[in-house]
Amino acid sequence: MTSPMPPLRSGQINDAGILVTTIASSPTAPLSPPPQTTGSPTPTPLAEAILDTLVHRIGKDAQAARPHDWLAATILTIRNDIIERWMTSTKAAHAAGAKRVYYLSLEFLIGRLLRDAIANLDRTGEVTEALASLGVELAALEEIEPDAALGNGGLGRLAACFMESLASLDLPAYGYGIRYVNGMFRQRIDDGWQVELPENWLSHGNPWEFERRESAYFIGFGGEVVGHEDGSIHWKPAEALEALAVDTPVVGWRGKRVNTLRLWTARAFDPIRLDAFNAGDHIGALAGQARAESLVRVLYPSDSSAAGQELRLRQEYFFSSASIQDIVRRHVQYFGDIRTLAEKAAIQLNDTHPAVSVAELMRLLTDHHDLGFEEAWGITKATFGYTNHTLLPEALESWPLPLFERLLPRHMQIVYAINAKLLREARAVAGMDDRAIAAISLIDEGGERRVRMANLAFAGAHSVNGVAALHTDLMKQTVFADFHRLYPTRINNKTNGITPRRWLQECNPGLTALIREAIGDGFLDDLTRLTDLRPFAGDAGFRERFMAVKRSNKVALAAHLRESMGLRVDPDALFDVQIKRIHEYKRQLLNIVETVALYDQIRSHPERDWTPRVKLFAGKAASSYHNAKLIIKLANDVARRVNADPSVGGLLRIAFVPNYNVSLAEKIVPAADLSEQISTAGMEASGTGNMKFALNGALTIGTLDGANVEIRDHVGADDIVIFGMTADEVADRRASGYEPRSVIEGSPELRQAVNAISSGVFSPDDHGRYAGLMDGLYAHDWFMVAADFDAYASAQREIDRRWADKDGWAASAIRNVAGVGWFSSDRTIAEYARDIWGVM
Ligand code: 26Q
């Protein structure tokens, strides 16, 4: 496999006759100290292969190589092993005539891949050793790999965990999405304010991806629909472009299987119009390509202000059409008969973002494969499943009907035909009144007419699932109540999960090693085996080692905070963490206001035995979300004042860590003592950060919302601190007229904190900065910060008491780890496979 070594100058050759010069010789920052020229380990075959790749694929020798060259060479070398398994997996699925799972998602929040891939191949030791023999440190290479951040938050990260679990469970599956050139923005904090910068994750190329030039599809927009005498229908789009497949291999645990993440990029049919170019119109000649590129340029933020934007609908259709065409083509190629599609393909819609796929499949089946409407509808429903991730009415996607019709005239006709059938079925059910019919309709007729994507997805799927038990119950009771009456077996629950490879083994090797020593290796293949750890909560020696692992993770995070933001924190303080998208319903504001109240208390009663705390916040706000950005500024303003105040004597330190992403989460989660999951009950569909923290031995302070409810059931009510109103209580309180002003006035601590913030104590440069935000609490307090404040504050004091009992805290943390194994995404995927996809 390896070709001869490049000629090397003497003096740079070690005892073994191999070049050991490191990237330290590169003009950019060194990754490790210069190696010894004697006594270096003998280069392993893998080391020789990496060096060979460096020379022959990257075109650099070891002296000239920069860190990114070493990274690329390492990835390309490891990739060879992956490619072989990839081809084996594909052939095996083909030979078995296996049913395939297709996960359609506008977001895949993957993070870095190198560590994950080599860990799943069980080659971490080998790669570490090989690189070391070349004078390169694996960990340093891992740190410079850019995050693939093609997602906003939980929904995108879930898609990434699911892809990994699908491969780990040896299920043939494809993920479909968009290869955004700029994914999630990079967040900088300037003077406390969020600034969004483009993140160019592809600037060094992407050694993980494979362009598939043969997999290209025609995507049309606009134009007209022509009906022919023979009854056939022809859509003549006015514009068209090409979708090109770019594949990334997804390695499952123990390298069992390698699946494909297929991301679409866009190309104009005629990238340059030579006639225009030659006529001197150099810009206009490239306009088609520029238009095509604009489709895959940006990831839309998760806020409602993006809804209704034409480019977003174009993205949704572009990606849906390419994916559905690809699925149909593969099916016909392998199985010959489109009518068996549902037996061989299960397509899961990750929220409504790909919901236009329902109409697209109908179009292909009827217009291109000549099936009748009824037969096509039967196949479509049997093929699709739809996962809902939110109940917030403003987050339910709908498109102005004129826009939808202009861009997708044929799909509009299909939507009308589906709607006619749907409403006929609904009218036949006893007790469906006009209100219920209007609620089920695919068209919202109240005001400007709009196409409702959730209704289209619901109607076009045989399964509709929520992502936590409470969320699924609320779906049945609220947004989908009428649909649920019409199709009472369609809604089902699939509580979210997280992959334990990334979120335990890779991010917390210390804890993983400790658990292995205690209970053996079984949990690596079945995370529920962590229950065997429960008795160790009573073992003093184990508790001590467990807390030593936690402490060393905290020391590592403290070092990172010091290096990255110049902040010093005490690793012996309680690390209290809230990291997630910034959104009012997630109530970062509740945490900040309570922090201000605590600060006030510490200053008034310095003699009390306060728990030293480090409060960590991180998260991005959608760029147009004014209040979310103001909350970031407030966290920074409070941090500045508190951290500079000698009178709190280091008892309270606050940090807003910039640019939250998957890689930062992998550093923070293992170091957390306390996990803040404090959304207004009924508003967080599930949450998955909550699971990551518990798996890494943090206690949760949380409301009975989303998956917190089930986490309590699994870890035990004694080992989680629950506070505040339930979802039912929130709904009742809203219905009976909530008056936050009287609540604030009735709580001295809260009033003091709100008034301090409002009057500019934390914003001396602009006293009025937070007056509006605080007025909102007095006036309406949509997210019931005030209503839950006292309960939250006393829950925090309960945390202080528990922290003071070191043994009790450690035991509780251990029981969290022991109890949370059920939240593996392997379990979630097994449930989807069995109940929805019929592949297990
Ligand atoms: C919609 C229209 C236009 C532009 C953007 C969007 C959009 C994009 C992303 C709307 C929503 C999202 C993301 C939602 C999300 O991340 N939801 C989270 O999903 C997790 C996985 O199920 C849950 O754990 C979280 O509770 C839920 O908030």
Side-chain angles (χ1 to χ4, degrees), residues 114-131:
L114 178 59
R115 189 199 291 172
D116 190 57
I118 62 180
N120 276 0
L121 294 170
D122 198 14
R123 297 185 67 182
T124 306
E126 187 197 350
V127 177
T128 307
E129 199 189 326
L131 286 170

Side-chain angles (χ1 to χ4, degrees), residues 107 152-156 158 300-303 306-307 312 316 353 389 395 397 467 496 585-586 684-688:
E107 305 194 5
N152 278 288
L155 167 152
L158 186 75
Y300 270 91
S302 63
D303 76 337
R312 168 77 180 189
E316 292 184 357
H353 315 155
H389 298 265
E397 273 189 302
V467 290
N496 282 167
Y585 83 79
K586 295 178 187 281
E684 187 71 271
S686 163
T688 47

Side-chain angles (χ1 to χ4, degrees), residues 793-839:
S794 41
Q796 289 289 18
R797 302 294 74 79
E798 165 68 14
I799 291 290
D800 290 342
R801 281 189 292 279
R802 291 187 187 212
W803 181 255
D805 167 14
K806 290 289 164 219
D807 284 340
W809 184 278
S812 206
I814 293 165
R815 286 190 297 265
N816 267 270
V817 179
V820 84
W822 186 78
F823 296 89
S824 166
S825 47
D826 294 350
R827 185 270 316 155
T828 312
I829 286 297
E831 289 182 7
Y832 275 87
R834 184 192 63 203
D835 303 342
I836 302 178
W837 304 329
V839 292

Side-chain angles (χ1 to χ4, degrees), residues 316-397:
E316 292 184 357
Y317 178 67
F318 164 78
F319 135 81
S320 296
S321 176
S323 308
I324 299 296
Q325 289 188 60
D326 200 38
I327 292 166
V328 165
R329 180 208 40 86
R330 186 174 299 112
H331 180 80
V332 172
Q333 182 187 325
Y334 284 178
F335 301 105
D337 183 357
I338 191 62
R339 287 169 303 180
T340 60
L341 181 69
E343 293 158 37
K344 297 296 181 186
I347 308 177
Q348 194 66 27
L349 303 173
N350 197 23
D351 216 293
T352 57
H353 315 155
V356 70
S357 298
V358 169
E360 177 68 357
L361 180 58
M362 285 296 288
R363 182 180 75 86
L364 296 180
L365 294 179
T366 56
D367 299 358
H368 290 206
H369 292 269
D370 301 324
L371 299 189
F373 180 88
E374 289 299 328
E375 191 179 10
W377 187 234
I379 293 169
T380 297
K381 275 198 298 189
T383 304
F384 282 110
Y386 156 50
T387 305
N388 172 278
H389 298 265
T390 183
L391 300 169
L392 307 186
E394 70 274 18
L396 292 177
E397 273 189 302

